[in-house]
Amino acid sequence: MKITTIGIDLAKNVFQVHGVDERGHLVLRKQIRRDQLAAFMVNLPPCLVGMEACGSAHHWARKFQDFGHTVRLMSPQFVKPYVKSNKNDAADAEAICEAVTRTNMRFVPIKSIEQQAVLSIHRVRQGFVTARTAQAQIRSVDYLPSLASCFQKGSAPCEIS
């Protein structure tokens, strides 16, 4: 009953872990709190670990690789077809565990801390650009009522100051 593949559904405080052996038989299904996950994974023999890609997944992937595990991250849209029953954390962890073993699965490269920092700077900049655009649009909407008198039927020619 050696665990060869683990699927982890990441959340804020409680993670769901699903582990199978080389035949695909269930060996482990467990809920683990955030502060217990690293201690749990360091005690496992090296195995294949699958997770859905998100910001915290890259952190955990780097940590699990330091423990000797092989970590693969997948986009959630590619894991979704493997969910067998109702959408819950246990079903998601099972689907992740199954999806990570597929040969045709596309994986997300694990990002370093520096790569994540650069991405966060780009996202902040994009937020500023979006806010600036929204503010410019609001200003143009404020300016439109003064032009409305120009377009009224039968009004005198409009002078814009």
Short mmCIF file of all heavy atoms in Angstrom, two decimals, residues 4 20 26 34 37 41 43 49 58 63 66 69 91-92 94 99 106 109 111 138 149 155 157:
data_model
loop_
_atom_site.label_atom_id
_atom_site.label_comp_id
_atom_site.label_asym_id
_atom_site.label_seq_id
_atom_site.Cartn_x
_atom_site.Cartn_y
_atom_site.Cartn_z
N THR A 4 1.71 6.28 -4.53
CA THR A 4 2.52 6.69 -5.67
C THR A 4 2.06 8.02 -6.25
O THR A 4 2.85 8.73 -6.86
CB THR A 4 2.49 5.63 -6.78
OG1 THR A 4 1.14 5.44 -7.19
CG2 THR A 4 3.09 4.33 -6.31
N VAL A 20 -3.34 7.49 -4.11
CA VAL A 20 -3.58 6.15 -4.68
C VAL A 20 -2.24 5.43 -4.82
O VAL A 20 -1.17 6.04 -4.85
CB VAL A 20 -4.29 6.25 -6.05
CG1 VAL A 20 -5.67 6.86 -5.91
CG2 VAL A 20 -3.47 7.02 -7.06
N LEU A 26 -7.48 3.43 -3.98
CA LEU A 26 -7.48 4.44 -2.93
C LEU A 26 -6.68 3.96 -1.72
O LEU A 26 -6.93 2.89 -1.18
CB LEU A 26 -8.91 4.78 -2.51
CG LEU A 26 -9.08 5.77 -1.38
CD1 LEU A 26 -8.55 7.14 -1.79
CD2 LEU A 26 -10.52 5.86 -0.96
N ARG A 34 -3.81 23.80 6.91
CA ARG A 34 -2.68 24.46 6.26
C ARG A 34 -1.38 24.27 7.03
O ARG A 34 -0.34 23.97 6.46
CB ARG A 34 -2.97 25.95 6.11
CG ARG A 34 -1.83 26.76 5.54
CD ARG A 34 -2.22 28.21 5.35
NE ARG A 34 -3.16 28.39 4.28
CZ ARG A 34 -2.83 28.48 2.99
NH1 ARG A 34 -1.59 28.39 2.63
NH2 ARG A 34 -3.75 28.65 2.07
N LEU A 37 0.16 20.60 6.55
CA LEU A 37 0.41 20.01 5.24
C LEU A 37 1.89 19.75 4.99
O LEU A 37 2.25 18.66 4.51
CB LEU A 37 -0.16 20.91 4.13
CG LEU A 37 -0.06 20.35 2.72
CD1 LEU A 37 -0.84 19.06 2.58
CD2 LEU A 37 -0.54 21.37 1.70
N MET A 41 3.54 16.05 4.24
CA MET A 41 4.20 15.71 2.98
C MET A 41 5.66 15.33 3.16
O MET A 41 6.18 14.50 2.41
CB MET A 41 4.09 16.88 2.00
CG MET A 41 2.68 17.16 1.52
SD MET A 41 1.93 15.78 0.64
CE MET A 41 2.86 15.82 -0.88
N ASN A 43 6.90 13.60 5.47
CA ASN A 43 6.96 12.22 5.99
C ASN A 43 6.58 11.18 4.95
O ASN A 43 6.72 9.98 5.21
CB ASN A 43 6.08 12.08 7.23
CG ASN A 43 6.63 12.87 8.39
OD1 ASN A 43 7.83 12.99 8.56
ND2 ASN A 43 5.74 13.43 9.19
N VAL A 49 2.86 14.37 -7.22
CA VAL A 49 1.87 15.23 -6.56
C VAL A 49 1.25 16.13 -7.61
O VAL A 49 1.96 16.80 -8.37
CB VAL A 49 2.52 16.09 -5.45
CG1 VAL A 49 1.49 17.00 -4.81
CG2 VAL A 49 3.19 15.21 -4.41
N HIS A 58 2.06 27.38 -6.63
CA HIS A 58 3.47 27.50 -6.97
C HIS A 58 4.34 27.46 -5.70
O HIS A 58 5.41 26.85 -5.69
CB HIS A 58 3.73 28.78 -7.76
CG HIS A 58 3.06 28.78 -9.10
ND1 HIS A 58 3.56 28.11 -10.18
CD2 HIS A 58 1.89 29.33 -9.52
CE1 HIS A 58 2.76 28.27 -11.22
NE2 HIS A 58 1.74 29.01 -10.83
N LYS A 63 7.93 23.94 -2.39
CA LYS A 63 8.19 23.31 -1.10
C LYS A 63 8.20 21.78 -1.24
O LYS A 63 9.09 21.10 -0.69
CB LYS A 63 7.12 23.75 -0.10
CG LYS A 63 7.40 23.31 1.32
CD LYS A 63 6.45 23.96 2.28
CE LYS A 63 7.14 25.19 2.80
NZ LYS A 63 6.62 25.68 4.06
N ASP A 66 11.29 20.42 -2.79
CA ASP A 66 12.39 20.37 -1.82
C ASP A 66 12.33 19.10 -0.98
O ASP A 66 13.36 18.61 -0.51
CB ASP A 66 12.36 21.59 -0.91
CG ASP A 66 12.69 22.88 -1.64
OD1 ASP A 66 13.26 22.80 -2.76
OD2 ASP A 66 12.37 23.96 -1.11
N HIS A 69 9.50 15.29 -3.85
CA HIS A 69 8.34 14.86 -4.64
C HIS A 69 8.43 15.42 -6.06
O HIS A 69 9.06 16.44 -6.30
CB HIS A 69 7.04 15.34 -3.99
CG HIS A 69 6.81 14.78 -2.63
ND1 HIS A 69 6.51 13.46 -2.40
CD2 HIS A 69 6.85 15.37 -1.41
CE1 HIS A 69 6.36 13.27 -1.11
NE2 HIS A 69 6.57 14.41 -0.48
N ALA A 91 -14.04 15.37 -4.02
CA ALA A 91 -14.18 14.99 -5.43
C ALA A 91 -13.14 15.70 -6.29
O ALA A 91 -12.60 15.13 -7.23
CB ALA A 91 -15.60 15.30 -5.91
N ASP A 92 -12.85 16.96 -5.96
CA ASP A 92 -11.82 17.71 -6.70
C ASP A 92 -10.45 17.08 -6.51
O ASP A 92 -9.69 16.95 -7.46
CB ASP A 92 -11.79 19.16 -6.25
CG ASP A 92 -12.96 19.96 -6.77
OD1 ASP A 92 -13.68 19.46 -7.66
OD2 ASP A 92 -13.17 21.10 -6.29
N GLU A 94 -9.77 13.99 -5.81
CA GLU A 94 -9.76 12.73 -6.55
C GLU A 94 -9.58 12.98 -8.05
O GLU A 94 -8.81 12.28 -8.73
CB GLU A 94 -11.07 11.97 -6.30
CG GLU A 94 -11.12 10.62 -6.96
CD GLU A 94 -12.41 9.87 -6.67
OE1 GLU A 94 -13.23 10.36 -5.88
OE2 GLU A 94 -12.59 8.79 -7.27
N ALA A 99 -6.27 13.10 -12.96
CA ALA A 99 -5.83 13.90 -14.11
C ALA A 99 -4.31 13.97 -14.21
O ALA A 99 -3.76 14.00 -15.31
CB ALA A 99 -6.42 15.31 -14.02
N ARG A 106 -1.87 18.62 -20.14
CA ARG A 106 -0.96 19.76 -20.27
C ARG A 106 -0.71 20.35 -18.89
O ARG A 106 -1.65 20.63 -18.16
CB ARG A 106 -1.57 20.81 -21.19
CG ARG A 106 -1.59 20.34 -22.63
CD ARG A 106 -2.11 21.41 -23.53
NE ARG A 106 -3.57 21.38 -23.50
CZ ARG A 106 -4.34 22.16 -24.21
NH1 ARG A 106 -3.81 23.07 -24.99
NH2 ARG A 106 -5.64 22.06 -24.15
N PRO A 109 4.08 25.19 -15.97
CA PRO A 109 5.41 25.21 -15.34
C PRO A 109 5.36 25.89 -13.97
O PRO A 109 4.61 26.85 -13.78
CB PRO A 109 6.28 25.99 -16.31
CG PRO A 109 5.35 26.67 -17.24
CD PRO A 109 4.04 25.98 -17.19
N LYS A 111 6.44 28.31 -11.22
CA LYS A 111 7.10 29.61 -11.27
C LYS A 111 7.96 29.83 -10.02
O LYS A 111 7.59 29.43 -8.92
CB LYS A 111 6.05 30.72 -11.37
CG LYS A 111 5.30 30.71 -12.68
CD LYS A 111 4.25 31.80 -12.70
CE LYS A 111 3.54 31.85 -14.02
NZ LYS A 111 2.85 30.63 -14.39
N ILE A 138 -15.53 58.27 -17.17
CA ILE A 138 -16.45 59.01 -16.29
C ILE A 138 -16.38 60.49 -16.62
O ILE A 138 -17.40 61.17 -16.68
CB ILE A 138 -16.11 58.75 -14.81
CG1 ILE A 138 -16.50 57.32 -14.43
CG2 ILE A 138 -16.81 59.76 -13.90
CD1 ILE A 138 -16.04 56.90 -13.06
N SER A 149 -27.39 69.92 -25.37
CA SER A 149 -28.20 71.03 -25.90
C SER A 149 -27.92 71.26 -27.39
O SER A 149 -28.76 71.80 -28.11
CB SER A 149 -27.92 72.30 -25.11
OG SER A 149 -26.55 72.65 -25.24
N SER A 155 -32.93 73.71 -31.74
CA SER A 155 -32.17 74.61 -30.87
C SER A 155 -31.22 75.45 -31.70
O SER A 155 -30.85 75.12 -32.82
CB SER A 155 -31.40 73.84 -29.81
OG SER A 155 -30.41 73.05 -30.43
N PRO A 157 -27.62 77.19 -32.75
CA PRO A 157 -26.27 76.60 -32.83
C PRO A 157 -25.58 76.62 -31.46
O PRO A 157 -25.73 77.59 -30.70
CB PRO A 157 -25.53 77.48 -33.84
CG PRO A 157 -26.61 78.13 -34.62
CD PRO A 157 -27.80 78.25 -33.73
#
